PDB file of all heavy atoms in Angstrom:
ATOM      1  N   GLU B  31      61.242 -55.368 -80.287  1.00  0.00           N
ATOM      2  CA  GLU B  31      62.411 -56.186 -80.611  1.00  0.00           C
ATOM      3  C   GLU B  31      61.993 -57.530 -81.180  1.00  0.00           C
ATOM      4  O   GLU B  31      62.415 -58.578 -80.694  1.00  0.00           O
ATOM      5  CB  GLU B  31      63.274 -56.345 -79.366  1.00  0.00           C
ATOM      6  CG  GLU B  31      63.892 -55.021 -78.978  1.00  0.00           C
ATOM      7  CD  GLU B  31      64.570 -55.078 -77.633  1.00  0.00           C
ATOM      8  OE1 GLU B  31      64.361 -56.064 -76.896  1.00  0.00           O
ATOM      9  OE2 GLU B  31      65.301 -54.124 -77.320  1.00  0.00           O
ATOM     10  N   VAL B  32      61.116 -57.508 -82.167  1.00  0.00           N
ATOM     11  CA  VAL B  32      60.684 -58.776 -82.751  1.00  0.00           C
ATOM     12  C   VAL B  32      61.063 -58.904 -84.222  1.00  0.00           C
ATOM     13  O   VAL B  32      60.922 -59.990 -84.792  1.00  0.00           O
ATOM     14  CB  VAL B  32      59.160 -59.002 -82.619  1.00  0.00           C
ATOM     15  CG1 VAL B  32      58.780 -59.257 -81.184  1.00  0.00           C
ATOM     16  CG2 VAL B  32      58.395 -57.821 -83.181  1.00  0.00           C
ATOM     17  N   SER B  33      61.529 -57.818 -84.844  1.00  0.00           N
ATOM     18  CA  SER B  33      61.764 -57.896 -86.289  1.00  0.00           C
ATOM     19  C   SER B  33      62.797 -58.938 -86.659  1.00  0.00           C
ATOM     20  O   SER B  33      62.610 -59.704 -87.592  1.00  0.00           O
ATOM     21  CB  SER B  33      62.203 -56.547 -86.853  1.00  0.00           C
ATOM     22  OG  SER B  33      62.036 -55.545 -85.922  1.00  0.00           O
ATOM     23  N   ARG B  34      63.908 -58.953 -85.899  1.00  0.00           N
ATOM     24  CA  ARG B  34      64.971 -59.900 -86.229  1.00  0.00           C
ATOM     25  C   ARG B  34      64.498 -61.347 -86.121  1.00  0.00           C
ATOM     26  O   ARG B  34      64.560 -62.077 -87.113  1.00  0.00           O
ATOM     27  CB  ARG B  34      66.184 -59.660 -85.326  1.00  0.00           C
ATOM     28  CG  ARG B  34      67.495 -59.519 -86.088  1.00  0.00           C
ATOM     29  CD  ARG B  34      68.608 -59.210 -85.104  1.00  0.00           C
ATOM     30  NE  ARG B  34      69.114 -60.437 -84.500  1.00  0.00           N
ATOM     31  CZ  ARG B  34      70.066 -61.176 -85.070  1.00  0.00           C
ATOM     32  NH1 ARG B  34      70.600 -60.821 -86.215  1.00  0.00           N
ATOM     33  NH2 ARG B  34      70.491 -62.278 -84.482  1.00  0.00           N
ATOM     34  N   PRO B  35      63.973 -61.743 -84.934  1.00  0.00           N
ATOM     35  CA  PRO B  35      63.482 -63.132 -84.856  1.00  0.00           C
ATOM     36  C   PRO B  35      62.371 -63.424 -85.864  1.00  0.00           C
ATOM     37  O   PRO B  35      62.285 -64.537 -86.385  1.00  0.00           O
ATOM     38  CB  PRO B  35      62.961 -63.258 -83.419  1.00  0.00           C
ATOM     39  CG  PRO B  35      62.940 -61.892 -82.872  1.00  0.00           C
ATOM     40  CD  PRO B  35      63.895 -61.068 -83.638  1.00  0.00           C
ATOM     41  N   LEU B  36      61.540 -62.421 -86.155  1.00  0.00           N
ATOM     42  CA  LEU B  36      60.462 -62.622 -87.117  1.00  0.00           C
ATOM     43  C   LEU B  36      61.021 -62.977 -88.493  1.00  0.00           C
ATOM     44  O   LEU B  36      60.613 -63.969 -89.112  1.00  0.00           O
ATOM     45  CB  LEU B  36      59.614 -61.351 -87.209  1.00  0.00           C
ATOM     46  CG  LEU B  36      58.526 -61.327 -88.290  1.00  0.00           C
ATOM     47  CD1 LEU B  36      57.385 -62.243 -87.908  1.00  0.00           C
ATOM     48  CD2 LEU B  36      58.010 -59.916 -88.516  1.00  0.00           C
ATOM     49  N   LEU B  37      61.992 -62.194 -88.949  1.00  0.00           N
ATOM     50  CA  LEU B  37      62.563 -62.438 -90.273  1.00  0.00           C
ATOM     51  C   LEU B  37      63.346 -63.744 -90.318  1.00  0.00           C
ATOM     52  O   LEU B  37      63.251 -64.506 -91.278  1.00  0.00           O
ATOM     53  CB  LEU B  37      63.471 -61.270 -90.673  1.00  0.00           C
ATOM     54  CG  LEU B  37      62.712 -59.976 -91.017  1.00  0.00           C
ATOM     55  CD1 LEU B  37      63.684 -58.857 -91.331  1.00  0.00           C
ATOM     56  CD2 LEU B  37      61.780 -60.214 -92.201  1.00  0.00           C
ATOM     57  N   ILE B  38      64.087 -64.001 -89.222  1.00  0.00           N
ATOM     58  CA  ILE B  38      64.870 -65.248 -89.193  1.00  0.00           C
ATOM     59  C   ILE B  38      63.933 -66.458 -89.253  1.00  0.00           C
ATOM     60  O   ILE B  38      64.144 -67.390 -90.030  1.00  0.00           O
ATOM     61  CB  ILE B  38      65.758 -65.307 -87.933  1.00  0.00           C
ATOM     62  CG1 ILE B  38      66.855 -64.240 -88.042  1.00  0.00           C
ATOM     63  CG2 ILE B  38      66.380 -66.692 -87.765  1.00  0.00           C
ATOM     64  CD1 ILE B  38      67.715 -64.127 -86.803  1.00  0.00           C
ATOM     65  N   SER B  39      62.861 -66.398 -88.450  1.00  0.00           N
ATOM     66  CA  SER B  39      61.934 -67.525 -88.435  1.00  0.00           C
ATOM     67  C   SER B  39      61.251 -67.691 -89.788  1.00  0.00           C
ATOM     68  O   SER B  39      61.052 -68.815 -90.264  1.00  0.00           O
ATOM     69  CB  SER B  39      60.868 -67.333 -87.358  1.00  0.00           C
ATOM     70  OG  SER B  39      61.475 -67.342 -86.105  1.00  0.00           O
ATOM     71  N   ALA B  40      60.882 -66.579 -90.410  1.00  0.00           N
ATOM     72  CA  ALA B  40      60.224 -66.658 -91.712  1.00  0.00           C
ATOM     73  C   ALA B  40      61.167 -67.290 -92.743  1.00  0.00           C
ATOM     74  O   ALA B  40      60.769 -68.177 -93.508  1.00  0.00           O
ATOM     75  CB  ALA B  40      59.789 -65.270 -92.169  1.00  0.00           C
ATOM     76  N   ALA B  41      62.432 -66.857 -92.712  1.00  0.00           N
ATOM     77  CA  ALA B  41      63.403 -67.418 -93.652  1.00  0.00           C
ATOM     78  C   ALA B  41      63.600 -68.902 -93.386  1.00  0.00           C
ATOM     79  O   ALA B  41      63.639 -69.726 -94.310  1.00  0.00           O
ATOM     80  CB  ALA B  41      64.730 -66.675 -93.516  1.00  0.00           C
ATOM     81  N   ARG B  42      63.692 -69.244 -92.080  1.00  0.00           N
ATOM     82  CA  ARG B  42      63.840 -70.660 -91.729  1.00  0.00           C
ATOM     83  C   ARG B  42      62.675 -71.471 -92.262  1.00  0.00           C
ATOM     84  O   ARG B  42      62.854 -72.550 -92.823  1.00  0.00           O
ATOM     85  CB  ARG B  42      63.895 -70.807 -90.203  1.00  0.00           C
ATOM     86  CG  ARG B  42      65.290 -70.774 -89.636  1.00  0.00           C
ATOM     87  CD  ARG B  42      65.280 -71.058 -88.154  1.00  0.00           C
ATOM     88  NE  ARG B  42      64.792 -72.418 -87.848  1.00  0.00           N
ATOM     89  CZ  ARG B  42      64.839 -72.958 -86.638  1.00  0.00           C
ATOM     90  NH1 ARG B  42      65.332 -72.272 -85.638  1.00  0.00           N
ATOM     91  NH2 ARG B  42      64.406 -74.165 -86.440  1.00  0.00           N
ATOM     92  N   MET B  43      61.461 -70.930 -92.046  1.00  0.00           N
ATOM     93  CA  MET B  43      60.252 -71.639 -92.467  1.00  0.00           C
ATOM     94  C   MET B  43      60.313 -71.929 -93.969  1.00  0.00           C
ATOM     95  O   MET B  43      60.049 -73.057 -94.398  1.00  0.00           O
ATOM     96  CB  MET B  43      59.040 -70.772 -92.108  1.00  0.00           C
ATOM     97  CG  MET B  43      57.685 -71.345 -92.419  1.00  0.00           C
ATOM     98  SD  MET B  43      57.070 -70.895 -94.050  1.00  0.00           S
ATOM     99  CE  MET B  43      56.777 -69.136 -93.878  1.00  0.00           C
ATOM    100  N   VAL B  44      60.683 -70.908 -94.750  1.00  0.00           N
ATOM    101  CA  VAL B  44      60.718 -71.081 -96.201  1.00  0.00           C
ATOM    102  C   VAL B  44      61.724 -72.171 -96.597  1.00  0.00           C
ATOM    103  O   VAL B  44      61.398 -73.115 -97.325  1.00  0.00           O
ATOM    104  CB  VAL B  44      61.065 -69.743 -96.893  1.00  0.00           C
ATOM    105  CG1 VAL B  44      61.331 -69.972 -98.379  1.00  0.00           C
ATOM    106  CG2 VAL B  44      59.938 -68.741 -96.689  1.00  0.00           C
ATOM    107  N   VAL B  45      62.942 -72.051 -96.061  1.00  0.00           N
ATOM    108  CA  VAL B  45      63.992 -73.014 -96.423  1.00  0.00           C
ATOM    109  C   VAL B  45      63.608 -74.418 -95.981  1.00  0.00           C
ATOM    110  O   VAL B  45      63.698 -75.391 -96.737  1.00  0.00           O
ATOM    111  CB  VAL B  45      65.336 -72.592 -95.796  1.00  0.00           C
ATOM    112  CG1 VAL B  45      66.388 -73.669 -96.041  1.00  0.00           C
ATOM    113  CG2 VAL B  45      65.779 -71.259 -96.366  1.00  0.00           C
ATOM    114  N   GLN B  46      63.141 -74.531 -94.714  1.00  0.00           N
ATOM    115  CA  GLN B  46      62.816 -75.857 -94.168  1.00  0.00           C
ATOM    116  C   GLN B  46      61.691 -76.520 -94.963  1.00  0.00           C
ATOM    117  O   GLN B  46      61.756 -77.706 -95.279  1.00  0.00           O
ATOM    118  CB  GLN B  46      62.417 -75.728 -92.693  1.00  0.00           C
ATOM    119  CG  GLN B  46      63.618 -75.477 -91.804  1.00  0.00           C
ATOM    120  CD  GLN B  46      63.244 -74.947 -90.420  1.00  0.00           C
ATOM    121  OE1 GLN B  46      64.106 -74.485 -89.707  1.00  0.00           O
ATOM    122  NE2 GLN B  46      61.972 -75.009 -90.067  1.00  0.00           N
ATOM    123  N   LEU B  47      60.651 -75.741 -95.271  1.00  0.00           N
ATOM    124  CA  LEU B  47      59.526 -76.331 -96.006  1.00  0.00           C
ATOM    125  C   LEU B  47      59.944 -76.724 -97.419  1.00  0.00           C
ATOM    126  O   LEU B  47      59.542 -77.777 -97.921  1.00  0.00           O
ATOM    127  CB  LEU B  47      58.341 -75.369 -96.035  1.00  0.00           C
ATOM    128  CG  LEU B  47      57.604 -75.210 -94.703  1.00  0.00           C
ATOM    129  CD1 LEU B  47      56.409 -74.276 -94.863  1.00  0.00           C
ATOM    130  CD2 LEU B  47      57.126 -76.557 -94.164  1.00  0.00           C
ATOM    131  N   ALA B  48      60.783 -75.873 -98.054  1.00  0.00           N
ATOM    132  CA  ALA B  48      61.248 -76.208 -99.393  1.00  0.00           C
ATOM    133  C   ALA B  48      62.014 -77.529 -99.376  1.00  0.00           C
ATOM    134  O   ALA B  48      61.793 -78.425-100.194  1.00  0.00           O
ATOM    135  CB  ALA B  48      62.128 -75.085 -99.939  1.00  0.00           C
ATOM    136  N   LEU B  49      62.890 -77.655 -98.354  1.00  0.00           N
ATOM    137  CA  LEU B  49      63.670 -78.886 -98.240  1.00  0.00           C
ATOM    138  C   LEU B  49      62.772 -80.083 -97.984  1.00  0.00           C
ATOM    139  O   LEU B  49      62.924 -81.135 -98.614  1.00  0.00           O
ATOM    140  CB  LEU B  49      64.697 -78.755 -97.111  1.00  0.00           C
ATOM    141  CG  LEU B  49      65.932 -77.919 -97.435  1.00  0.00           C
ATOM    142  CD1 LEU B  49      66.823 -77.824 -96.214  1.00  0.00           C
ATOM    143  CD2 LEU B  49      66.690 -78.536 -98.606  1.00  0.00           C
ATOM    144  N   VAL B  50      61.817 -79.899 -97.051  1.00  0.00           N
ATOM    145  CA  VAL B  50      60.997 -81.036 -96.677  1.00  0.00           C
ATOM    146  C   VAL B  50      60.119 -81.476 -97.857  1.00  0.00           C
ATOM    147  O   VAL B  50      59.777 -82.650 -97.993  1.00  0.00           O
ATOM    148  CB  VAL B  50      60.178 -80.743 -95.399  1.00  0.00           C
ATOM    149  CG1 VAL B  50      58.830 -80.131 -95.724  1.00  0.00           C
ATOM    150  CG2 VAL B  50      59.989 -82.014 -94.601  1.00  0.00           C
TER     151      VAL B  50
END
Side-chain angles (χ1 to χ4, degrees):
Chain B
E31 292 171 347
V32 290
S33 349
R34 231 177 83 86
L36 173 72
L37 288 177
I38 292 175
S39 295
R42 268 186 64 172
M43 182 269 292
V44 170
V45 174
Q46 285 163 193
L47 288 182
L49 283 177
V50 90

